[in-house]
Amino acid sequence: MQRRTYLVFLGVPGAGKGTQAKLLEESLHLPQVSTGDIFRYNLKNQTELGLLAKSYMDRGDLVPDEVTIKMVEDRLQKPDCAQGAILDGFPRNLVQVTAFDAMVAPYGGVTLVPLINLEDDEAMRRITGRRVCRTCGAVYHVDFNAPKESGICDLDQGELYQRADDAPETVRNRLYVYYKQTGPLIGYYYAHSLLADLDGAQPIEDVQSKLKVLIDKALQR
Ligand SMILES: [Zn+2]
């Protein structure tokens, strides 16, 4: 079986996983596979798995691992994943890791696990500072990308608000869930010599160039 490239991104919310994955998507010509996108796709198209997942979500329950695993497995069999994929948000616990290992084993296994490190304080500052325009959806940041007038969109004078997902309490909970569920994956991948540490406090382009060097090395293994 031909070898494929599978990258698994780890890091706290706000570390820049999505941004780095997006940049790599273009340079490596590999699709970014995020569980958020997969869920939205299955719900929108009312697939059997989507409806099953919805039945749990409607009851306020977590979607079981086996449903998530099956959805990812289906996604990875699509033609655009014939060379591999960049995973963001999966696997997120040890049950999913074991299933994912089995899924990619015929193609040479996981290529590299970039871990983007970032202090909790900085992650909080990045996420809780986000503001979104109610009218056009433009995204601002109170420190890094402030609108000309506080609370008002530059483009259409719409009202800026903080998404519920970005509120301090929610972010604290997202960090807790990350450390509890995903934390053990760091040890797991370290033990398999797949972990690549990156400093998420560095500028986006610096992280990206370091990442490319590490991926090149991993592909030569
Ligand atoms: Zn606006």
Side-chain angles (χ1 to χ4, degrees):
M1 204 86 74
Q2 198 207 338
R3 194 177 168 145
R4 297 182 180 178
T5 305
Y6 291 106
L7 304 173
V8 175
F9 271 88
L10 296 182
V12 292
K17 299 187 295 287
T19 306
Q20 295 298 337
K22 187 91 212 143
L23 289 168
L24 281 180
E25 189 173 37
E26 288 155 23
S27 60
L28 294 177
H29 306 293
L30 290 174
Q32 181 185 358
V33 168
S34 91
T35 28
D37 291 343
I38 295 176
F39 273 118
R40 276 185 289 277
Y41 170 87
N42 280 280
L43 290 175
K44 187 168 159 246
N45 292 286
Q46 308 209 336
T47 65
E48 204 177 312
L49 286 168
L51 292 171
L52 185 57
K54 190 172 182 299
S55 71
Y56 287 96
M57 289 175 341
D58 285 348
R59 291 196 299 263
D61 291 334
L62 287 173
V63 177
D65 284 327
E66 57 264 33
V67 177
T68 306
I69 289 163
K70 190 74 188 64
M71 278 189 197
V72 172
E73 198 165 17
D74 284 356
R75 177 67 188 88
L76 291 178
Q77 276 160 10
K78 296 262 157 63
D80 64 329
C81 294
Q83 303 299 319
I86 303 166
L87 291 114
D88 174 12
F90 182 90
R92 69 166 58 212
N93 59 44
L94 288 172
V95 173
Q96 295 183 0
V97 163
T98 310
F100 184 61
D101 272 354
M103 236 184 264
V104 301
Y107 310 105
V110 173
T111 311
L112 193 72
V113 180
L115 166 63
I116 309 186
N117 291 295
L118 192 69
E119 299 279 344
D120 285 1
D121 288 352
E122 182 58 18
M124 280 294 274
R125 180 163 169 244
R126 286 186 183 183
I127 300 175
T128 58
R130 279 184 204 150
R131 297 292 180 274
V132 185
C133 172
R134 267 192 212 286
T135 327
C136 72
V139 182
Y140 296 85
H141 193 284
V142 294
D143 297 322
F144 312 125
N145 177 28
K148 289 196 187 76
E149 201 178 331
S150 168
I152 309 234
C153 178
D154 289 347
L155 304 172
D156 57 8
Q157 275 71 55
E159 185 201 354
L160 301 185
Y161 76 107
Q162 184 180 49
R163 279 187 298 226
D165 241 20
D166 299 340
E169 265 323 294
T170 318
V171 181
R172 258 190 287 277
N173 187 53
R174 285 164 67 192
L175 286 168
Y176 169 75
V177 170
Y178 171 80
Y179 287 119
K180 187 162 176 258
Q181 291 189 350
T182 315
L185 271 58
I186 297 172
Y188 177 88
Y189 283 125
Y190 176 79
H192 287 76
S193 306
L194 288 168
L195 206 64
D197 270 300
L198 293 148
D199 180 3
Q202 298 287 310
I204 290 169
E205 34 316 339
D206 292 3
V207 176
Q208 181 70 197
S209 55
K210 283 192 188 116
L211 193 49
K212 280 186 181 160
V213 172
L214 293 167
I215 293 169
D216 279 345
K217 255 197 220 163
L219 287 172
Q220 283 157 22
R221 277 204 291 255

